[in-house]
Amino acid sequence: MRIHINDPLDKQATEKLKSVPGVEVTSEHLEKEELLKIMPEIEVLIVRSATKVTADIIEAGTKLKIIGRAGTGLDNIDVKAAEGKGIKVINTPGANSISVAELTIGLMIACSRHIARGTIDLKNGKWTKKELEGHELFGRTVGIIGFGNIGREVAKRLLAFNMNILAYDPFVKETDMNVKMVDLDTLYKESDYITIHVPLTPETKYLINKETISKMKDGVIIINAARGGIIDEAALYEALVNGKVYAAGLDVFEVEPPTDELRQKLLALPNVVATPHIGASTFEAQERVGMLLVERLIKEIA
């Protein structure tokens, strides 16, 4: 069986996969044109978020049986095209939840206390102490959009900050945590912080837009460590400039890398803290994600 790993996978996980009898494993990132050339030989394709598994790639995989996504979301895979050809798509939900949750907390604190701007100012020889008065998290209200694995991990940590926690999830009606489940309009209206933890779907595309931002508190802080495209970044830019939104912490963008004019204007704002889609980029998460995916694959091909 030929297995191709097109995005970086944990070394131990790769070695475990190579140890399976009758399996030939190749590991190299190929751009689309090169990947299309080898797809007729591939029975299992493994990707992370960088590779877009489009319908034409799937169509070229005449022997393809399984697509493995090392991570949570499946928005970079044409699942319908795969299902139409009887190809199984598997992923690793929950394996990177702690890493994403911790980054979310970091972005919240960085936005509240001007950590990035303070660092840059000091490195440029500026002492801007009087300009960088911020906010405590203590006693404030956070709204969590999406209360799955990651949303729950975020809530666990924010309870330790003595925050009031609201959550919205159409699939979760009640919880055993000290969290109040509310509708979206209530969450927008009452939250000092809003953090997003949902997949990108037709229903969540531009969930945060000019209209929904207008429903939020003045001075709200918005965090997105989920998927680009959930926030209308043009509307966010406008709200950051006019002060409706106090700050934004962004790990993801609708265009990645965010090199276009709009995203560059957004990143240039002093009240934006940003990271290059590193939510799951910890050694611990990548080991968990890789090993879990390989264990699932071994069961499938056994």
Side-chain angles (χ1 to χ4, degrees):
M1 173 174 278
R2 173 81 183 273
I3 298 175
H4 180 68
I5 303 169
N6 207 57
D7 293 324
L9 193 69
D10 176 72
K11 186 177 179 180
Q12 285 182 293
T14 302
E15 291 304 316
K16 184 170 183 175
L17 193 57
K18 287 180 177 179
S19 70
V20 177
V23 166
E24 177 191 353
V25 179
T26 54
S27 180
E28 179 186 4
H29 180 76
L30 301 175
E31 295 300 332
K32 186 174 182 177
E33 288 185 9
E34 294 302 312
L35 182 59
L36 281 166
K37 291 177 184 177
I38 70 164
M39 282 307 299
E41 308 165 23
I42 304 302
E43 293 176 71
V44 178
L45 177 64
I46 297 175
V47 300
R48 286 177 59 189
S49 59
T51 300
K52 310 304 178 188
V53 187
T54 53
D56 51 343
I57 288 175
I58 292 167
E59 188 64 32
T62 52
K63 296 180 181 179
L64 192 61
K65 297 180 175 67
I66 301 171
I67 300 169
R69 161 74 163 97
T72 301
L74 295 173
D75 47 286
N76 61 315
I77 299 172
D78 191 330
V79 177
K80 286 186 178 179
E83 289 175 346
K85 291 195 66 180
I87 297 165
K88 192 158 191 176
V89 179
I90 61 176
N91 62 343
T92 55
N96 59 11
S97 298
I98 291 172
S99 290
V100 178
E102 289 181 354
L103 180 65
T104 298
I105 307 304
L107 289 170
M108 288 178 67
I109 295 172
C111 286
S112 302
R113 300 304 304 273
H114 309 292
I115 291 173
R117 184 180 165 193
T119 301
I120 292 168
D121 285 351
L122 279 171
K123 288 185 176 186
N124 289 328
K126 299 177 183 177
W127 185 259
T128 50
K129 177 178 179 178
K130 292 181 180 179
E131 299 173 28
L132 302 183
E133 187 173 6
H135 292 283
E136 293 182 347
L137 273 62
F138 178 86
R140 304 189 83 201
T141 298
V142 58
I144 301 174
I145 300 177
F147 207 61
N149 291 320
I150 296 171
R152 287 179 63 87
E153 292 296 338
V154 170
K156 287 177 189 177
R157 286 151 182 79
L158 293 179
L159 285 169
F161 284 87
N162 288 305
M163 295 193 80
N164 305 308
I165 302 179
L166 309 177
Y168 167 79
D169 192 310
F171 305 106
V172 179
K173 301 304 177 188
E174 57 184 32
T175 175
D176 57 349
M177 301 175 69
N178 187 19
V179 173
K180 184 179 180 182
M181 303 302 299
V182 296
D183 59 64
L184 266 178
D185 280 350
T186 300
L187 186 146
Y188 293 144
K189 181 181 177 182
E190 297 184 7
S191 299
D192 300 300
Y193 296 79
I194 293 175
T195 179
I196 301 164
H197 303 287
V198 294
L200 178 62
T201 66
E203 292 74 28
T204 62
K205 177 77 170 179
Y206 292 164
L207 181 68
I208 305 300
N209 54 54
K210 189 171 184 177
E211 180 185 354
T212 54
I213 290 172
S214 72
K215 297 177 181 180
M216 298 176 189
K217 281 186 176 183
D218 291 345
V220 66
I221 292 175
I222 298 175
I223 307 296
N224 186 11
R227 283 292 183 270
I230 297 172
I231 296 177
D232 178 345
E233 288 161 355
L236 177 62
Y237 175 82
E238 182 182 333
L240 285 160
V241 170
N242 66 32
K244 175 68 176 180
V245 175
Y246 181 80
L250 306 172
D251 183 49
V252 291
F253 301 87
E254 185 172 4
V255 176
E256 293 183 359
T259 54
D260 63 300
E261 184 179 357
L262 171 60
R263 257 54 63 166
Q264 286 297 297
K265 284 169 57 180
L266 184 65
L267 289 168
L269 294 175
N271 50 348
V272 170
V273 177
T275 47
H277 203 150
I278 60 169
S281 296
T282 64
F283 295 107
E284 295 82 1
Q286 288 312 304
E287 182 178 348
R288 281 194 299 269
V289 164
M291 293 303 289
L292 179 59
L293 181 64
V294 166
E295 287 165 7
R296 292 195 62 189
L297 282 173
I298 290 171
K299 287 180 182 178
E300 293 289 338
I301 65 179

